[in-house]
């Protein structure tokens, strides 16, 4: 977002933005994550069997009496045997990545003729340690060199007409290799932990703010953590990449008699670039009765109790373009004033004063009634499915991460009951610090650790692979992942209950195919009982420098919840241009039953959102088309001008969405007339509610709202063209 051509007075407001200098710490690099064959020459090979009694699985079992576990029970009188077919495999989970130096096989008469011994760190990607052809069975020992958590015997040709049958498999590991990645530890140099007695606490806030206030594309990242207690006379101004969180189990455990302030003095009272900051899990009693939170995209306000009112506009009521509130209680009135759009979920408010274009509410006690035909409001009584974001807290002197439970048809805040949640000790997290490598991160994941990214910028040379169900990947201080050399940033397996939260993926200079992939292509597992959630995960292409990606976020898993994201192809900053930071697609949803709550996607070269899964739902969508389209020909396809901001595939039979807006600001060629903002198949199961398109100051226009329906925009007065319901 850049300047908005609204007829609202531009005024100077108090400052807001920050960036303290960033220290770094180097984490030791663990062995490569994908079953590397790198030699651990110094390791002595143990005589102990590291596989004995460990969990085992197989491609098949001949019958219930020959399970996979029998090949790893230390008993040569029991065996695993497969069905009578090729190929077949049996594997064991050693529990952590280890150096593997020898594998012993004790075959029954039904042996493997051709087979490989393989290893993997994640159970998905395999490296061959030994290939055997024309094997004769019996007992054999194979010296190997590699590392991994999983060891697999993979047969491709049987030695008899029966299956594969192993009395026993023994795996020997090195005693002098690299130790496993440790969980827990300190939170690194850029996490500032304070209590009510911290000396010069106001000075700490002011120092960070002075550095971060206008440092929109800098490398500084900071997280303030407030221990439970009462803090008096504080005004914590938050700038770029600065987060503040309470360390209580409930928001009222951390009481601030003061303010957490976001304003726009740094940008002459214009709040449309107040991105990338956050506040959560504390209570406020503002000094003058009303707290100011004048933000734009990627600035979540979560799990906050405001004992007073909340002003979402900058001082002077200049332009503003936010924003997102969830799981919060505002005792007084919320005044959005100049805010163009806002989404509020599962909260309570004492009142809501106005709005400009699109104010959407779900599960909000005290929300105004829907009036979209004449005003900005779209209100749903409940949120169909939600799960609040995981958060760090203190239990005594120990850090833990609370993982809230899933809610259905939620209304109001989830606390203080916190029903259905679970608590994880920090020892179950690899605490990632600046200097950590992708190899170490993947090794930690393969060991079964979760990830806690501390504030920093992480350049990674390989994809982070999250393949274990219920893994938590939590970022502090807008920790930023940058994929180098054209790799993808992160892949999530088609497994239950992964929680991704609180980090930024920044495209690298070499083109990535997909920055974030949730579920492999073709995923089809049912995750309705325990969906994967993507919360406060932001994606940026360009702005901090040239960035390239074909696909930004692709969701292939069924039942996933996307709860607040800003997927942004940059329109300002460094490395910005139609081809310089090219990214064709923003969000692509292929999974079924996916829900998006608080979806912000902007400026992509082709479609901003393409939804191909069945029974998808979106609640609140904010979009701007790319500013820098060179001419109409550059975006003409299938006989129409412009790619829809939000496209539902023709194959889809059921889809529903509420509170959608697309805006155009074609600064490179204001003569462009975009055919429509939204494109959907005309079917009884496909329904859109409260949709609008807007020309910002007459820089380009829309011919229709959805398909060939809806009045065109015209002139320079930023008057929305609306449809209350389609079809």
């Amino acid at each position: 977002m850049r300047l908005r051509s609204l007829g609202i007075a531009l005024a100077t407001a108090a400052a807001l933005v920050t960036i303290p200098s960033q220290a770094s710490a180097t984490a030791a690099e663990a062995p490569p994550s994908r079953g590397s064959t790198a030699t651990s020459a110094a390791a002595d090979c143990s005589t102990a069997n590291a596989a004995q009694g460990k969990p085992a699985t197989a491609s098949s079992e001949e019958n219930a009496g020959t399970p996979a576990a029998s090949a790893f029970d230390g008993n040569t009188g029991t065996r695993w045997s497969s069905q009578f077919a090729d190929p077949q495999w049996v594997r064991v989970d050693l529990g952590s990545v280890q150096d593997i130096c020898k594998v012993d096989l004790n075959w029954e008469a039904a042996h493997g003729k051709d087979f490989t011994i393989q290893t993997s760190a994640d159970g998905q990607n395999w490296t061959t340690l030994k290939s055997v052809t024309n094997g004769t069975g019996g007992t054999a020992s194979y010296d190997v060199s590699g590392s991994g958590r999983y060891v697999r015997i993979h047969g491709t040709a049987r030695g008899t007409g029966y299956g594969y049958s192993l009395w026993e498999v023994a795996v020997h590991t090195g005693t002098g290799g690299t130790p496993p990645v440790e969980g827990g530890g300190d939170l690194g140099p850029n996490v500032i932990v304070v209590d009510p007695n911290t000396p010069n606490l106001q000075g700490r806030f002011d120092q960070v703010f002075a550095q971060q206030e206008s440092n929109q594309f800098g490398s500084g990242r900071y997280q303030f953590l407030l221990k439970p207690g009462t803090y008096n006379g504080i005004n914590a101004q938050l700038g770029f990449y600065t987060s503040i969180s309470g360390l209580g189990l409930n928001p009222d455990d951390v009481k601030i008699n003061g303010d957490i302030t976001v304003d726009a003095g740094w940008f002459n009272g214009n709040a449309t670039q107040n991105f990338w900051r956050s506040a959560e899990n504390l209570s406020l009693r503002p000094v003058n009765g009303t707290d100011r939170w004048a933000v734009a995209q990627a600035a979540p306000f979560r799990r906050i109790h405001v004992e007073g009112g909340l002003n979402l506009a900058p001082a002077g009521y200049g332009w503003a373009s936010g924003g997102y509130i969830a799981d919060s209680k505002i005792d007084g009135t919320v005044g959005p004033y100049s805010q163009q759009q806002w989404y509020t979920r599962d909260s309570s408010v004492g009142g809501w004063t106005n709005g400009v274009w699109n104010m959407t509410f779900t599960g909000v006690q005290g929300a105004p009634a829907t009036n979209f035909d004449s005003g900005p409001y779209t209100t749903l009584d409940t949120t169909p499915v939600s799960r609040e974001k995981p958060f760090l807290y203190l239990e005594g002197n120990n850090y833990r991460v609370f993982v809230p439970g899933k809610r259905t048809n939620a209304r109001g805040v989830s606390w203080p009951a916190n029903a259905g949640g679970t608590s994880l000790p920090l020892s179950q997290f690899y605490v990632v610090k600046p200097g950590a490598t992708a190899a170490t991160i993947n090794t930690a994941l393969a060991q079964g650790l979760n990830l806690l990214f501390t504030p920093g910028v992480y350049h990674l040379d390989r994809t982070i692979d999250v393949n274990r169900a219920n893994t938590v990947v939590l970022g502090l201080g807008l920790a930023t992942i940058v994929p180098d050399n054209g790799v993808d940033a992160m892949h999530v397996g088609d497994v239950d209950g992964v929680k991704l939260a609180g980090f930024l993926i920044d495209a690298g200079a070499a083109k990535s195919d997909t920055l974030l992939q949730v579920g492999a292509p073709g995923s089809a597992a049912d995750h309705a009982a325990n969906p994967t959630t993507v919360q406060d995960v932001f994606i940026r292409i360009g702005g901090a420098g040239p960035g390239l990606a074909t696909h930004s976020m692709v969701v292939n898993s069924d039942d996933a919840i996307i709860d607040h994201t800003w997927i942004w192809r940059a329109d300002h900053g460094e490395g910005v241009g139609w081809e310089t930071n090219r990214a064709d697609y923003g969000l692509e949803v292929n999974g079924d039953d996916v829900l998006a709550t608080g979806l912000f996607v902007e400026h992509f070269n082709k479609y901003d959102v393409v939804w191909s899964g069945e029974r998808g739902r979106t609640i609140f969508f904010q979009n701007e088309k790319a500013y820098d389209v060179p001419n109409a020909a550059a975006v003409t396809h299938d006989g129409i001008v412009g790619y829809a901001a939000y496209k539902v595939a023709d194959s889809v039979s059921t889809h529903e969405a509420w509170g959608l807006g697309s805006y155009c600001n074609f600064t490179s060629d204001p003569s462009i007339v975009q055919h429509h903002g939204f494109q959907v198949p005309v079917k009884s199961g496909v329904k859109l509610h409260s949709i609008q398109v807007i020309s910002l100051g007459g820089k380009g226009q829309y011919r229709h709202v959805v398909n060939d329906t809806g009045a065109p925009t015209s002139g320079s007065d930023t008057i929305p063209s609306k449809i209350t319901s389609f079809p």
Side-chain angles (χ1 to χ4, degrees):
M1 292 250 170
R2 199 178 289 174
L3 296 176
R4 298 288 189 243
S5 302
L6 265 176
I8 298 173
L10 187 72
T12 304
L16 148 71
V17 175
T18 93
I19 233 179
S21 57
Q22 180 175 344
S24 65
T26 300
E29 182 174 344
S33 67
R34 297 192 174 185
S36 166
T37 56
T39 302
S40 52
D44 296 324
C45 205
S46 173
T47 58
N49 180 5
Q52 185 170 326
K54 296 297 174 66
T57 55
S59 55
S60 69
E61 294 170 353
E62 182 181 2
N63 55 58
T66 58
S70 292
F72 303 96
D73 60 2
N75 182 355
T76 55
T78 62
R79 63 187 175 93
W80 162 73
S81 62
S82 75
Q83 296 178 356
F84 303 171
D86 291 313
Q88 301 289 340
W89 53 261
V90 64
R91 77 176 192 180
V92 64
D93 179 359
L94 302 180
S96 64
V97 174
Q98 300 187 40
D99 289 324
I100 299 164
C101 49
K102 186 167 70 169
V103 176
D104 302 331
L105 301 182
N106 184 354
W107 292 100
E108 197 248 357
H111 63 278
K113 176 184 175 185
D114 296 343
F115 61 90
T116 56
I117 301 172
Q118 300 173 318
T119 187
S120 171
D122 56 16
Q124 303 291 323
N125 302 282
W126 296 90
T127 295
T128 296
L129 302 184
K130 183 74 174 180
S131 292
V132 176
T133 57
N134 296 315
T136 57
T139 60
S141 293
Y142 300 96
D143 292 327
V144 297
S145 180
S147 65
R149 173 174 173 168
Y150 301 89
V151 175
R152 181 169 77 172
I153 313 305
H154 186 269
T156 54
R158 291 165 288 146
T160 71
Y162 298 98
Y164 295 84
S165 183
L166 281 160
W167 293 109
E168 199 66 22
V169 178
V171 177
H172 303 278
T173 58
T175 58
T178 304
V181 177
E182 296 293 330
D186 68 89
L187 299 180
N190 299 328
V191 175
I192 303 167
V193 182
V194 301
D195 61 44
N197 298 315
T198 297
N200 191 27
L201 179 54
Q202 185 62 51
R204 301 288 297 276
F205 288 123
D206 292 346
Q207 178 190 15
V208 173
F209 180 68
Q211 296 178 71
Q212 298 295 110
E213 181 181 9
S214 59
N215 201 344
Q216 185 171 170
F217 296 110
S219 60
R221 302 288 186 274
Y222 293 90
Q223 174 76 57
F224 283 95
L225 296 177
L226 278 60
K227 293 183 178 180
T230 300
Y231 298 76
N232 294 314
I234 289 172
N235 182 17
Q237 298 186 82
L238 299 186
F240 287 101
Y241 314 109
T242 306
S243 297
I244 184 170
S245 304
L247 284 172
L249 188 56
N250 283 295
D252 289 327
D253 294 341
V254 174
K255 295 183 177 292
I256 297 177
N257 292 316
D259 296 85
I260 296 175
T261 301
V262 177
D263 208 337
W266 75 279
F267 202 39
N268 299 316
N270 176 354
T272 62
Q273 291 187 24
N274 282 350
F275 314 137
W276 302 308
R277 64 203 73 198
S278 67
E280 67 181 288
N281 197 35
L282 47 79
S283 66
L284 291 170
R285 180 168 291 176
V287 170
N288 72 352
T290 300
D291 190 62
R292 186 182 301 279
W293 184 257
V295 299
Q297 290 74 24
F301 193 85
R302 288 184 180 269
R303 205 175 164 85
I304 304 287
H305 183 193
V306 180
E307 299 180 64
L310 187 64
N311 186 340
L312 304 180
Y317 302 98
W319 297 334
S321 180
Y324 175 91
I325 293 171
D327 203 26
S328 293
K329 186 175 187 292
I330 295 94
D331 295 344
T333 298
V334 179
Y337 304 112
S338 56
Q339 281 287 354
Q340 293 153 4
Q341 60 269 317
W342 201 278
Y343 174 56
T344 307
R345 178 182 63 72
D346 298 356
S347 296
S348 69
V349 298
W352 194 280
T353 56
N354 76 314
V356 178
W357 294 328
N358 183 10
M359 303 278 130
T360 302
F361 308 84
T362 64
V364 178
Q365 298 165 340
T370 296
N371 70 346
F372 192 77
D373 55 347
S374 60
Y377 299 146
T378 303
T379 300
L380 282 68
D381 190 58
T382 61
T383 305
V385 186
S386 56
R387 179 196 278 140
E388 301 305 330
K389 175 186 172 186
F391 61 90
L392 196 67
Y393 75 103
L394 275 175
E395 184 177 80
N397 294 319
N398 298 316
Y399 290 111
R400 299 182 70 89
V401 172
F402 189 80
V403 183
K406 188 186 76 169
R407 303 171 77 194
T408 56
N409 298 316
R411 180 171 172 82
V413 299
S414 68
W415 46 272
N418 295 325
T422 58
S423 177
L424 303 175
L426 194 63
S427 61
Q428 293 182 13
F429 287 77
Y430 171 43
V431 180
V432 191
K433 299 173 187 174
T437 66
T440 305
I441 292 167
N442 278 335
T443 297
L445 288 167
Q447 287 176 204
L449 292 173
N450 304 291
L451 300 179
L452 180 69
F453 278 92
T454 66
V457 178
Y458 298 86
H459 283 268
L460 303 177
D461 62 355
R462 67 185 71 181
T463 303
I464 296 174
D465 292 309
V466 182
N467 292 309
R468 179 177 57 86
N470 300 309
T471 300
V472 177
V473 180
L474 177 62
L476 301 178
L478 275 296
T480 302
I481 296 168
V482 184
D484 291 332
N485 306 318
V487 302
D488 293 357
M490 184 177 292
H491 289 174
V492 178
D494 188 31
V495 296
D496 274 357
V498 172
K499 292 91 179 174
L500 308 180
F503 56 91
L504 169 65
I505 296 175
D506 202 357
K511 180 184 286 187
S512 296
D513 179 76
T514 303
L515 294 173
L516 174 61
Q517 177 181 283
V518 179
S523 293
D526 183 353
H527 307 295
N530 186 13
T532 285
T533 47
V534 181
Q535 301 177 283
D536 301 345
V537 173
F538 311 120
I539 291 179
R540 179 173 69 193
I541 300 99
L548 294 164
T550 302
H551 312 274
S552 301
M553 183 187 297
V554 178
V555 178
N556 295 312
S557 286
D558 293 348
D559 308 296
I561 300 172
I562 307 165
D563 178 44
H564 190 224
T565 187
W566 184 36
I567 305 171
W568 185 59
R569 176 181 167 266
D571 62 274
H572 63 274
E574 298 295 325
V576 171
W578 184 245
E579 297 295 342
T580 305
N581 65 325
R582 187 173 183 93
D584 286 346
Y585 304 102
L587 172 67
E588 297 163 82
V589 179
N590 301 312
D592 294 337
D593 301 293
V594 172
L595 171 66
T597 52
L599 180 59
F600 300 75
V601 188
E602 299 189 292
H603 307 151
F604 285 85
N605 295 74
K606 292 185 178 179
Y607 293 109
D608 298 282
V609 173
V610 180
W611 206 294
S612 302
E614 284 289 355
R615 297 176 299 281
R617 291 174 291 183
T618 294
I619 302 173
F620 182 89
F621 171 66
Q622 183 270 324
N623 166 263
E624 282 184 351
K625 295 304 300 172
Y627 292 0
D628 55 349
V629 179
N631 49 58
V635 289
T636 297
H637 64 100
D638 303 314
I640 63 173
V641 177
Y643 289 87
Y646 189 103
K647 174 181 170 62
V648 178
D650 292 343
S651 60
V652 171
S653 297
T654 305
H655 186 92
E656 195 161 10
W658 298 260
L660 315 179
S662 177
Y663 319 142
C664 72
N665 186 32
F666 296 130
T667 54
S668 293
D669 184 356
S671 71
I672 296 172
V673 179
Q674 169 103 6
H675 187 77
H676 47 219
F678 304 91
Q679 181 180 353
V680 303
V682 181
K683 300 177 182 178
S684 60
V686 178
K687 302 174 183 178
L688 305 182
H689 312 274
S690 301
I691 54 177
Q692 61 187 313
V693 294
I694 301 170
S695 168
L696 299 176
K699 298 293 180 64
Q701 302 290 343
Y702 290 89
R703 192 176 306 279
H704 301 290
V705 180
V706 54
N707 297 354
D708 299 327
T709 301
T713 59
S714 63
S716 59
D717 293 333
T718 62
I719 298 174
S721 179
K722 294 183 173 185
I723 293 179
T724 301
S725 184
F726 181 88

